[in-house]
């Protein structure tokens, strides 16, 4: 066994590091956290200073046993998890669970996986930083308490399965409030005036009127004033200007820029950055610092001078604006500036190049510009047109990189021809175009990250999981609409004649923008009403500041938790006892024939419309809302249309064809057992029989057997876990080595035979007449199975020697145990806890 054991979180990281260390070092992976709070209980003793109960999950027990043996056989154990708070907590859990001794345990950190960085860490070990551990404990425990105490209230008062989270719920609130702003926004029209002028030599000068005109009449009158007018350059100024590069990337700015430039979502960006880091190509990707080390600045200078020359280099030091930024850390940068391109696949290469360009540009000279502003006057009125242009005298950092912007209206300034004061200009055309004031933009993933950072909510490691969580919980979804057509008016003056035409444009696109769902909106409204302090932006930011103080040793984490819990828990009890059920109900009006109230609300299976109330003599009527409708905007007329479903469209092959709306969206029903989902552009209220027949035929074609094996048909499809074929009741996954669209008969037979053999290999014992069998499970375990009941055998039971009676006994015990567990779920449990982090 090697004298030194190095433990990291990731097997990919382990593989890279092992290349740098000699034969005296063995590198192993913990595969992330080895211990955490239990999944099915609070796991925090609030009566004993919020003592957490950390356990090793069943899937990590064999790994921990293996690591413990490796540690016992080594002279020195090096804990090399990441340098952030979570990494420090992982190192602490390893020390605790592996029973490591202080004298032969060292903690090392490095912000890049390079030979020099790893060797420097080995030469400069430290001990576990318990302040960082406690900051992570505070976050984990506070978030567990918030989620564990509020979520059951949501199940009873809003919707089963709903849940709350300290940061996630605030993110949802931001999106809901932005959507409210958009829906309450009253757009106003105005007219923007643009003009094309030309010099005597025919060179074009594009100009505009600085102030907009309020109405069509004002626009008409202004264009009339320009009939027969002469124009000249009234004023001209030239000023030198400069543009400076943006600082190197932090986690937040990388996520934003990768979204704008590469169209990656936040999670994708972090996955790719993680792989680049583990391959030793970039520094640590979870950071809020914009600092560069001396080594980095030296490497950047060498590469800039080599590639572009001395004039292009300028050493810069940046200071971050992020609250709680750890300036001792570095920004995200390449580990080797001489490597302009790197990565294992196309997306990694693109992200690496973005990081390289941003980092190298941050150490380059300013771009030197000359800005020209021109004022153009007419002899028939006193309003003046303006034109501006920009020329680059020295490109500096622009040779490599220019930061993107969220401002969709930003116009790039072009070049202007040589002009002088009093120079005559010819009017080619003046247009007055109707424009409309815009509501605030919906958040994208990138702009939501920016807003969370500006409010001081969350930290680099939380942005991606927060956005993923609120989408997985169906509180937020990405818009699909490309927008709707809108008419606008344009007036044009050319050759002293004014013409008018109507044009159309797309507006209101929400493609890939974050939009609250009905569930998200109702949950948010309940939380804001009853737990406003938890969802308060200032409170959430102050909690993050407390975590920072704990990390710096300025505050005790248990004191912070005690202060929070004293006001939080009584509020939870009060809401649980006294709050009314929240279903987001809106009364739209009354039914024109029955006079009964028509309302919409959140039901068990989603948003629905209702005619009547439970107090009526007759039962209320219900109809599910369409996927394109929501509780907040649906009208009475639209709701009444829903009750016209199901619609009978005609007959197909002698069977009636109906369209209806169901739990999973609109569908076509045919021959009592065939159901075909409508596609997203199909409207169930207007779909024709011809279109329905097309969908039925496509379904029949897709369901038709592609092969017959041993007298049983083989069909194929795409499900939740990817492409598959179905044969004899078995679903068989088709992996990437096969061409799914062009499976050969040989491919199909191979897939089926492999599946049959795999099932045989799993089977240990089969009491076919009793419907009981024993199969291999994961991690060397075995399961006794009967129908849907599955019991995992403990390691002390030999699956080959178990009797049928014993198997039956285990199956029979399973159901009562489940019921007992449910009864006890709300009772206070006695737990064995490990002490929190303490300085040893």
């Amino acid at each position: 066994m090697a004298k030194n054991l190095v433990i990291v979180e990731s097997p990919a990281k382990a593989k890279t590091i092992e290349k740098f260390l000699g034969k005296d070092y063995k590198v192993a992976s913990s595969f992330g956290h080895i211990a955490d709070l239990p999944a099915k209980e609070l796991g925090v003793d609030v009566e004993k200073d919020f003592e957490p109960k950390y356990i090793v999950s069943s899937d990590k027990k064999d790994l921990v046993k293996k690591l413990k043996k490796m540690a016992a056989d080594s002279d020195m154990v090096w804990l090399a998890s990441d340098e952030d708070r979570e990494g420090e907590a992982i190192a602490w859990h390893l020390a605790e669970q592996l029973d490591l001794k202080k004298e032969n345990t060292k903690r090392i950190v490095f912000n890049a996986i390079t030979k020099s960085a790893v060797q420097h860490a080995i030469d400069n070990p430290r001990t576990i930083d318990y302040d960082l551990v406690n900051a992570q404990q505070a976050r984990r425990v506070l978030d567990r308490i918030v989620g564990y105490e509020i979520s059951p209230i949501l199940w009873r008062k809003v919707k089963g399965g709903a849940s709350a989270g300290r940061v996630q719920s605030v993110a949802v609130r931001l999106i809901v409030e932005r959507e409210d702003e958009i829906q309450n926004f009253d757009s106003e029209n105005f007219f923007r005036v643009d003009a094309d002028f030309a010099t005597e030599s025919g060179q074009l000068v594009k100009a505009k009127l600085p102030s907009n005109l309020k109405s069509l009449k004002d626009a008409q009158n202004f264009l009339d004033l320009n009939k027969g007018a002469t124009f000249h350059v009234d004023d001209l100024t030239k000023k030198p200007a400069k543009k400076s590069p943006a600082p190197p990337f932090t986690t937040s700015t990388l996520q934003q820029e990768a979204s704008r430039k590469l169209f990656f979502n936040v999670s994708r960006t972090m996955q790719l950055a993680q792989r680049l880091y583990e391959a030793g190509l970039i520094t640590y990707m979870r950071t809020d610092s914009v600092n560069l080390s001396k080594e980095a600045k030296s490497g950047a200078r060498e590469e800039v001078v080599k590639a572009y020359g001395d004039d292009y280099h300028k050493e810069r030091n940046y200071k971050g604006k992020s609250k709680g930024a750890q300036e001792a850390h570095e920004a995200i940068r390449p580990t080797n500036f001489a490597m302009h391109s790197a990565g294992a696949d196309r997306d990694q290469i693109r992200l690496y190049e973005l990081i390289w360009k941003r980092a190298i540009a941050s150490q380059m000279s300013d771009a030197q510009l000359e800005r020209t502003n021109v004022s153009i006057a007419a002899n028939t009125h006193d309003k003046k047109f303006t034109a501006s242009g920009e020329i680059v005298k020295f490109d500096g950092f622009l040779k490599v990189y220019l930061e993107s912007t969220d401002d969709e209206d930003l116009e790039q300034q072009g070049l202007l021809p040589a002009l002088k004061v009093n120079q005559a200009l010819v009017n080619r055309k003046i247009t007055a175009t109707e424009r409309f004031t815009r509501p605030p933009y919906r958040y994208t993933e990138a702009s939501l990250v920016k807003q969370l950072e500006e409010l001081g909510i969350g930290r680099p490691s939380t942005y991606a999981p927060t956005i993923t969580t609120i989408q997985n919980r169906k509180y937020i979804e990405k818009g699909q609409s490309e927008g709707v057509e809108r008419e606008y008016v344009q007036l044009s003056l050319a050759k002293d004649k004014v013409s008018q035409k109507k044009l159309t444009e797309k507006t209101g696109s929400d493609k890939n923008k974050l939009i609250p769902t009905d569930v998200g909106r109702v949950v948010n409204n309940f939380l804001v009403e009853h737990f406003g302090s938890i969802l308060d932006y200032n409170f959430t930011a102050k909690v993050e500041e407390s975590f920072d103080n704990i990390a710096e040793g300025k505050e005790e984490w248990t004191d912070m938790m005690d202060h929070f819990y004293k006001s939080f828990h009584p509020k939870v009890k009060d809401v649980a006892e006294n709050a009314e059920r929240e279903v987001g109900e809106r009364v739209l009006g009354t039914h024109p024939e029955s006079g009964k109230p028509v309302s919409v609300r959140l039901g068990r299976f989603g948003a629905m419309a209702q005619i009547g109330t439970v107090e009526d003599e007759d039962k209320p009527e219900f109809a599910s809302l369409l996927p394109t409708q929501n509780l907040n905007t649906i009208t009475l007329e639209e709701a009444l249309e829903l009750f016209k479903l199901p619609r009978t469209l005609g007959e197909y092959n002698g069977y009636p064809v109906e369209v209806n709306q169901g739990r999973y969206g609109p569908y076509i029903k045919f021959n009592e057992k065939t159901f075909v989902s409508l596609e997203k552009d199909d409207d169930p209220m207007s779909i024709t029989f011809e279109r329905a027949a097309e969908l039925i035929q496509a379904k029949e074609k897709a369901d038709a057997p592609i092969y017959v094996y041993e007298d049983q048909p083989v069909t194929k499809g795409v499900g939740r876990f990817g492409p598959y074929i179905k044969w004899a009741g078995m679903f068989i996954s088709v992996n990437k080595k096969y061409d799914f669209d062009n499976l050969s008969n040989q491919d199909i037979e191979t897939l089926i035979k492999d599946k049959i053999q795999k099932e045989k290999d799993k089977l240990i014992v089969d009491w076919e007449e009793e419907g009981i069998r024993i199969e291999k499970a994961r991690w060397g375990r075995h399961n006794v199975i009967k129908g849907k009941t599955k019991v995992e055998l403990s390691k002390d039971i030999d699956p080959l020697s178990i009797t049928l009676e014993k198997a039956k006994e285990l199956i029979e015990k399973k159901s009562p145990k489940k019921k007992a567990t449910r009864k006890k779920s709300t009772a206070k449990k006695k737990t064995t806890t490990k002490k929190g982090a303490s300085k040893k």
Side-chain angles (χ1 to χ4, degrees):
M1 190 67 184
K3 294 180 180 179
N4 295 276
L5 174 65
V6 182
I7 306 178
V8 297
E9 314 102 305
S10 151
K13 189 176 176 182
K15 191 176 178 182
T16 307
I17 292 173
E18 203 158 45
K19 294 187 296 187
F20 304 141
L21 300 172
K23 58 182 172 56
D24 289 337
Y25 289 84
K26 173 66 180 174
V27 185
S29 170
S30 70
F31 292 85
H33 285 276
I34 62 164
D36 198 2
L37 300 176
K40 295 182 179 179
E41 60 179 281
L42 175 61
V44 177
D45 191 338
V46 296
E47 303 295 332
K48 291 184 179 179
D49 278 345
F50 303 92
E51 197 169 42
K53 173 189 174 183
Y54 293 114
I55 63 166
V56 177
S57 60
S58 58
D59 63 329
K60 286 290 182 80
K61 285 181 179 177
D62 287 343
L63 173 66
V64 169
K65 185 178 179 181
K66 177 184 173 185
L67 290 174
K68 186 178 281 192
K69 184 178 187 310
M70 293 173 73
D73 292 342
S74 303
D75 295 337
M76 184 65 67
V77 179
W78 305 79
L79 302 177
S81 48
D82 290 337
E83 64 173 340
D84 57 13
R85 296 168 193 174
E86 192 166 3
E88 207 69 22
I90 289 172
W92 175 58
H93 283 309
L94 285 166
E96 293 281 313
Q97 298 295 335
L98 305 185
D99 297 323
L100 301 181
K101 296 176 183 176
K102 187 176 179 181
E103 56 269 22
N104 68 340
T105 303
K106 294 182 179 180
R107 171 79 170 116
I108 55 172
V109 294
F110 34 82
N111 78 324
I113 305 176
T114 61
K115 187 171 185 177
S116 59
V118 172
Q119 189 57 54
H120 182 268
I122 293 284
D123 294 339
N124 297 274
R126 60 172 175 80
T127 57
I128 293 171
D129 187 331
Y130 291 97
D131 291 331
L132 292 181
V133 172
N134 285 331
Q136 179 62 23
Q137 281 203 115
R139 179 186 294 279
R140 186 74 183 94
V141 169
L142 190 147
D143 287 349
R144 168 56 70 97
I145 287 174
V146 169
Y148 208 86
E149 295 206 1
I150 294 181
S151 294
I153 297 175
L154 292 176
W155 304 340
R156 298 193 300 271
K157 305 288 185 178
V158 182
K159 188 178 187 296
S163 58
R166 181 181 58 86
V167 177
Q168 296 95 317
S169 296
V170 172
V172 173
R173 181 181 182 180
L174 282 168
I175 295 165
V176 170
E177 289 182 347
R178 177 59 57 86
E179 194 67 20
D180 287 341
E181 288 181 60
I182 293 168
Q183 291 179 3
N184 295 329
F185 184 82
D186 291 324
S187 183
E188 297 178 358
N189 70 328
F190 60 89
F191 284 79
R192 189 188 71 201
V193 179
D194 299 285
D196 288 350
F197 297 105
T199 63
E200 291 176 355
S201 61
Q203 292 175 296
L204 184 66
V205 179
K206 286 188 168 292
K208 64 180 181 181
L209 205 62
S211 56
N212 297 316
L213 303 176
K214 293 182 178 179
S215 66
L216 179 63
K217 184 178 179 182
D218 290 344
Q220 178 74 55
N221 292 340
F222 179 72
L223 292 189
D224 287 341
L225 288 175
N226 287 279
K227 288 179 180 177
T230 60
F231 299 87
H232 66 277
V233 175
D234 182 62
D235 189 29
L236 186 149
T237 59
K238 289 185 178 180
K239 292 182 180 179
K242 69 177 182 179
K243 195 185 291 281
S244 299
F249 283 129
T250 61
T251 302
S252 164
T253 54
L254 175 64
Q255 290 170 352
Q256 294 170 52
E257 194 75 337
S259 173
R260 290 186 292 241
K261 275 192 160 75
L262 306 179
F263 306 104
F264 294 160
N265 64 33
V266 168
S267 293
R268 180 65 176 154
T269 297
M270 295 311 291
Q271 288 168 3
L272 294 168
Q274 177 86 34
R275 289 172 194 158
L276 291 173
Y277 166 67
E278 290 172 347
L281 298 171
I282 63 170
T283 53
Y284 192 52
M285 66 288 156
R286 292 190 183 95
T287 176
D288 47 15
S289 172
V290 289
N291 281 350
L292 289 178
S293 64
K294 287 183 180 179
E295 176 193 0
K297 285 185 275 194
S298 173
R301 181 184 66 246
E302 186 177 329
E303 195 56 33
V304 169
V305 171
K306 177 183 173 184
Y308 310 111
D310 283 322
D311 291 343
Y312 281 88
H313 176 256
K314 180 179 180 180
E315 185 172 309
R316 299 174 187 273
N317 297 309
Y318 294 95
K319 186 168 179 62
K321 297 178 183 177
S322 176
K323 297 176 185 176
Q326 299 175 62
E327 298 300 338
H329 295 174
E330 266 199 271
I332 303 169
R333 64 165 177 86
T335 54
N336 180 5
F337 281 97
M339 193 179 293
H340 293 214
S341 182
D345 58 41
R346 181 173 178 269
D347 284 348
Q348 284 186 41
I349 291 168
R350 292 168 71 205
L351 188 66
Y352 177 87
E353 288 175 350
L354 187 69
I355 293 168
W356 183 88
K357 287 177 180 179
R358 176 84 165 219
I360 204 85
S362 75
Q363 299 299 303
M364 292 178 71
S365 303
D366 293 332
Q368 302 298 327
L369 315 170
E370 182 182 79
R371 290 199 178 116
T372 303
N373 294 311
V374 180
S375 175
I376 299 168
N379 67 336
T380 55
H381 57 83
D382 58 3
K383 289 185 183 291
K384 293 178 181 177
F385 294 91
T386 60
S388 57
E390 192 175 84
I391 59 172
V392 178
K393 295 285 192 180
F394 173 68
D395 54 1
F397 77 94
L398 293 176
K399 197 171 195 74
V400 174
Y401 179 85
L402 178 62
E403 185 180 24
S404 297
T405 175
D406 284 320
D407 188 352
E408 297 179 22
D409 289 331
L410 187 68
E411 294 180 9
Q412 292 293 327
Q413 295 180 332
L415 293 174
L416 288 173
L419 300 169
K420 57 185 179 180
V421 176
N422 293 324
Q423 179 177 347
L425 296 173
V426 178
N427 171 26
R428 291 267 183 88
K429 181 172 71 171
I430 301 176
T431 60
T433 306
E434 186 179 19
R435 299 285 81 187
F436 302 86
T437 54
R438 293 181 177 181
Y441 291 116
R442 287 186 173 95
Y443 287 111
T444 60
E445 288 194 3
S447 60
L448 180 61
V449 166
K450 184 178 181 182
Q451 183 69 10
L452 289 170
E453 185 180 43
E454 287 177 356
L455 291 170
I457 296 168
R459 286 297 181 261
S461 62
T462 66
Y463 300 134
T466 293
I467 291 172
T468 300
T469 298
I470 61 178
Q471 290 181 72
N472 289 344
R473 288 179 177 170
K474 308 298 183 188
Y475 294 162
I476 300 299
E477 62 187 8
K478 288 190 176 179
Q480 301 295 325
S481 172
E482 298 281 0
V484 295
E485 293 281 342
R486 175 174 65 187
E487 284 191 346
Y488 66 97
V489 175
Q490 185 178 72
L491 301 177
S492 298
L493 172 66
K495 297 180 181 179
D496 287 339
K497 288 185 179 180
V498 177
S499 60
Q500 178 177 324
K501 59 183 176 182
K502 284 191 175 182
L503 302 170
T504 60
E505 64 182 350
K506 280 277 182 72
T507 184
S509 168
D510 59 20
K511 190 88 171 164
N512 289 324
K513 305 288 177 62
L514 302 177
I515 301 172
T517 64
D518 286 321
V519 174
R521 186 180 284 280
V522 174
V523 168
N524 175 75
N525 292 346
F526 182 86
L527 292 176
V528 169
E529 180 181 352
H530 298 290
F531 296 99
S533 60
I534 301 296
L535 268 69
D536 180 76
Y537 301 134
N538 290 329
F539 165 79
T540 311
K542 283 178 182 175
V543 167
E544 296 292 349
E545 288 178 13
S546 291
F547 294 155
D548 294 338
N549 290 336
I550 294 165
E552 293 167 17
K554 297 176 183 176
E555 187 175 348
E556 288 293 329
W557 81 274
T558 50
D559 291 345
M560 177 256 187
M561 284 300 309
D562 187 57
H563 178 73
F564 162 76
Y565 196 69
K566 277 178 179 175
S567 59
F568 172 71
H569 187 64
K571 182 65 176 175
V572 170
K573 291 177 69 177
D574 177 62
V575 174
E577 293 169 8
N578 302 313
E580 294 183 2
R581 183 170 169 77
E582 172 65 58
V583 292
E585 185 175 19
R586 270 181 71 221
V587 178
L588 306 180
T590 56
H591 193 280
E593 295 172 9
S594 68
K596 291 181 179 181
V598 180
S599 60
V600 289
R601 66 181 179 85
L602 195 64
R604 183 182 175 190
F605 299 120
M608 65 181 189
Q610 177 176 324
I611 299 175
T613 65
V614 291
E615 289 81 15
D616 293 342
E617 189 175 335
D618 298 325
K619 286 184 178 180
E621 296 179 66
F622 302 99
S624 296
L625 268 60
L626 300 177
T628 54
Q629 297 172 329
N630 65 67
L631 297 176
N632 218 41
T633 59
I634 189 171
T635 64
L636 174 62
E637 292 72 21
E638 290 169 340
L640 291 174
E641 283 291 307
L642 296 171
F643 291 92
K644 295 179 181 179
L645 295 174
R647 291 171 55 221
T648 300
L649 304 180
E651 284 193 358
Y652 181 84
N653 289 348
Y655 293 99
V657 175
E658 286 184 355
V659 62
N660 203 353
Q661 166 72 2
R663 180 180 174 185
Y664 301 107
Y667 64 89
I668 292 163
K669 182 181 177 183
F670 162 66
N671 78 9
E672 296 302 320
K673 59 183 179 181
T674 301
F675 298 87
V676 187
S677 295
L678 268 60
E679 295 182 0
K680 68 176 184 178
D681 294 329
D682 292 319
D683 181 358
M685 310 308 300
S686 60
I687 190 170
T688 64
F689 170 76
E690 289 73 22
R691 173 60 180 154
E694 278 181 34
L695 293 171
I696 292 170
Q697 289 163 8
K699 172 76 170 173
E700 289 176 335
K701 184 178 179 181
D703 290 348
I706 58 170
Y707 187 60
V708 175
Y709 181 73
E710 293 186 352
D711 298 325
Q712 297 215 51
V714 180
T715 59
K716 71 176 184 177
V718 178
R720 181 181 173 190
F721 302 109
Y724 66 86
I725 60 172
K726 185 180 179 183
W727 175 80
M730 289 193 296
F731 290 88
I732 305 165
S733 296
V734 180
N735 61 38
K736 290 183 179 179
K737 76 177 184 180
Y738 294 98
D739 181 353
F740 182 66
D741 292 327
N742 300 289
L743 288 173
S744 68
N745 295 346
Q746 182 61 48
D747 291 338
I748 294 167
E749 290 193 10
T750 300
L751 285 162
I752 293 172
K753 288 174 182 176
D754 288 349
K755 179 69 173 179
I756 292 170
Q757 188 59 48
K758 190 175 179 182
E759 293 299 313
K760 285 180 180 177
D761 292 344
K762 280 169 58 178
L763 190 65
I764 304 296
V765 181
D766 189 5
W767 292 286
E768 194 173 345
E769 68 283 358
E770 299 286 345
I772 298 176
R773 65 187 188 277
I774 301 178
E775 286 186 356
K776 286 182 183 177
R778 297 177 70 187
W779 315 115
R781 297 297 181 91
H782 297 83
N783 292 327
V784 180
I785 301 169
K786 181 176 183 180
K788 292 185 178 179
T789 303
K790 184 185 294 185
V791 183
E792 186 179 277
L793 294 179
S794 59
K795 281 196 169 183
D796 58 341
I797 298 178
D798 181 1
L800 293 174
S801 60
I802 188 172
T803 63
L804 175 59
E805 288 69 26
K806 179 64 175 176
K808 283 182 178 180
E809 180 187 334
L810 292 169
I811 292 291
E812 286 167 4
K813 282 182 179 179
K814 181 74 172 177
S815 296
K817 190 177 179 182
K818 277 187 175 178
K819 290 175 184 174
T821 303
R822 279 198 292 272
K823 286 179 182 175
K824 290 180 184 176
S825 62
T826 56
K828 186 176 179 182
K829 299 181 181 180
K830 292 182 180 179
T831 57
T832 303
T833 60
K834 277 203 170 189
K835 276 287 181 187
S838 58
K839 296 173 184 175
K840 295 186 177 179

